[in-house]
Amino acid sequence: MLAEETDDWWISMLPVLQQDGVVVTWAMFRKEFLSRYFPEDVRGKKEIDFLELKQGDMSVTKYAAKFVELAKFYPHYTAEIAEFSKCIKFENGLRAVIKRAIGYQKIRNFSELVSSCRIYEDDTKAHYKVMSERRNKDKNRSKPYSTPGELRLNDERMPKREETPVEIVCYKCGEKGHKSNTCAGKVKRCFRCGEKGHTEVDCNHDDVVCYNCKEKGHISSQCKKPKKAQTGGKVFALTGMQTMHEGLLD
């Protein structure tokens, strides 16, 4: 049923067509209707738009809707070849990646073709989304700390290089809390007898001296006397050169 202005137009046109007893057919109505509301130049433009239609940046769903809309203005699809021709035209307008994936299937049912293209497009988008999320996770995992909060967290977890554990004992002076290469002390300690004031080169002891009992002939690890308590951080650690001597004597 026609509406408003169109209905008024048809009421005035019908008597003109029925002159001389002519029976108005659907073909006659369609011809007059298109002539009135869809002039030849407009129909020609719609045909060109249809022939040049490509998917481009549109989704498969939007491309199919535009295709169906413009196909109405293309008069060259007969009932016998309409389905086949629409499939060929639709397939040729698809984006290259979808066309390569779908084309070999040779689908010649229009609804089935649109459905297959849409499913492929959705699956591809989901795949690339997952891959993108994985790449972002890998990038963030290997990304160096950049924010102040991350730097503070890093400082809390990682020991500072410039800080030396208190348990470290200097080979040079016997004091705890620093290494011999950073020792500022001027007092030297002998690695042979453990006494301060001279080095091993100037030591008068012919034999190795036990750091525990101060007697000659054995080292502290072989000493049978009670071990002296280590107090005040003054006891020289049994490491370094003395350990090397012990290894040679064992």
Side-chain angles (χ1 to χ4, degrees):
M1 184 175 180
L2 300 176
E4 298 180 359
E5 192 272 338
T6 309
D7 187 50
D8 293 339
W9 164 81
W10 179 242
I11 292 175
S12 63
M13 176 60 67
L14 185 60
V16 177
L17 297 177
Q18 290 178 335
Q19 289 180 359
D20 300 327
V22 176
V23 177
V24 179
T25 63
W26 171 255
M28 293 174 62
F29 167 78
R30 185 174 183 276
K31 178 182 178 182
E32 294 298 330
F33 181 85
L34 292 177
S35 177
R36 170 75 178 184
Y37 292 100
F38 292 96
E40 186 175 350
D41 60 326
V42 176
R43 294 199 302 273
K45 186 178 183 303
K46 292 292 185 180
E47 289 183 23
I48 294 173
D49 290 343
F50 176 71
L51 294 174
E52 295 179 349
L53 180 63
K54 302 289 183 182
Q55 181 183 2
D57 296 332
M58 291 185 291
S59 66
V60 169
T61 301
K62 289 184 178 181
Y63 172 53
K66 191 70 173 178
F67 184 96
V68 172
E69 177 188 346
L70 293 176
K72 297 175 183 178
F73 304 101
Y74 191 70
H76 306 293
Y77 283 157
T78 62
E80 295 78 11
I81 65 169
E83 195 74 6
F84 176 87
S85 298
K86 285 196 296 183
C87 289
I88 296 297
K89 176 66 179 70
F90 185 85
E91 187 177 296
N92 287 334
L94 290 167
R95 285 199 296 270
V97 62
I98 302 179
K99 183 179 179 180
R100 285 195 298 268
I102 300 298
Y104 77 94
Q105 300 181 34
K106 296 183 179 180
I107 302 173
R108 295 301 175 252
N109 178 280
F110 185 74
S111 297
E112 183 180 347
L113 176 61
V114 173
S115 179
S116 296
C117 292
R118 181 183 55 77
I119 293 172
Y120 176 82
E121 183 181 57
D122 291 343
D123 289 347
T124 302
K125 286 181 179 179
H127 171 74
Y128 280 115
K129 182 179 179 180
V130 172
M131 295 301 294
S132 178
E133 291 175 351
R134 288 180 180 176
R135 284 195 297 269
N136 290 335
K137 287 183 180 178
D138 293 339
K139 186 184 298 183
N140 292 333
R141 191 177 295 115
S142 61
K143 179 183 178 182
Y145 294 109
S146 57
T147 65
E150 290 174 325
L151 290 174
R152 286 195 296 272
L153 180 60
N154 188 35
D155 290 342
E156 293 174 359
R157 291 181 176 179
M158 301 298 292
K160 297 181 179 180
R161 292 185 178 181
E162 62 271 14
E163 294 181 355
T164 304
V166 179
E167 292 76 11
I168 294 296
V169 179
C170 175
Y171 295 165
K172 183 177 180 181
C173 66
E175 299 290 342
K176 292 183 178 181
H178 66 275
K179 297 181 180 180
S180 60
N181 61 344
T182 60
C183 181
K186 297 181 179 180
V187 179
K188 299 179 180 179
R189 178 180 289 274
C190 177
F191 294 141
R192 176 180 291 274
C193 65
E195 296 179 359
K196 295 183 178 181
H198 66 275
T199 62
E200 183 182 12
V201 178
D202 302 322
C203 185
N204 296 323
H205 294 87
D206 297 328
D207 199 357
V208 67
V209 178
C210 174
Y211 291 175
N212 184 53
C213 67
K214 303 300 181 182
E215 295 181 1
K216 298 181 179 180
H218 67 277
I219 57 179
S220 59
S221 61
Q222 300 172 338
C223 185
K224 298 181 180 180
K225 294 184 179 182
K227 301 294 183 182
K228 293 182 179 180
Q230 298 182 4
T231 59
K234 298 295 183 179
V235 179
F236 184 67
L238 185 59
T239 54
M241 189 62 72
Q242 185 183 5
T243 304
M244 181 180 72
H245 285 312
E246 293 178 355
L248 294 175
L249 292 173
D250 288 344

